[in-house]
Amino acid sequence: MNGNRPGELSLSVIEGRVAEIWKHVLDVPDGMEDATFFDLEGESISAVRLVSRIEDELGVSIDVGDIFEEDPNLEALVRKVAGQAEVSAV
């Protein structure tokens, strides 16, 4: 963990870190920046890696099941993480 507490994270920090994690874990090809998790052939191990890295690097917990139920694109995942960061800070 990097020492950030969820309440101390700005939206720009969340956007940047989640984008970096998303692109690394899902190996996003050029032209597919708006693709969803399943469009990028995400699998259970990918979902676990996403959730684990987000928790490790940002201190924000999201449920692996949310990835499968919501099939987010990057923007939707950022919103989810940002929402959870606010909930965690309360």
Side-chain angles (χ1 to χ4, degrees), residues 7 85-90:
E86 289 178 17
V87 169
S88 299
V90 174

Side-chain angles (χ1 to χ4, degrees), residues 42 45 63:
I45 191 69
D63 188 16

Side-chain angles (χ1 to χ4, degrees), residues 30-50:
D30 290 339
M32 292 197 67
E33 289 78 11
D34 293 328
T36 68
F37 178 79
F38 289 122
D39 289 341
L40 295 168
E41 300 180 6
E43 299 176 345
S44 57
I45 191 69
S46 305
V48 170
R49 286 181 178 151
L50 281 171

Side-chain angles (χ1 to χ4, degrees), residues 8-39:
E8 298 174 346
L9 296 170
S10 68
L11 182 57
S12 62
V13 168
I14 291 171
E15 287 172 336
R17 294 257 180 90
V18 172
E20 182 180 306
I21 293 166
W22 176 268
K23 290 173 184 173
H24 181 263
V25 170
L26 295 172
D27 195 25
V28 180
D30 290 339
M32 292 197 67
E33 289 78 11
D34 293 328
T36 68
F37 178 79
F38 289 122
D39 289 341

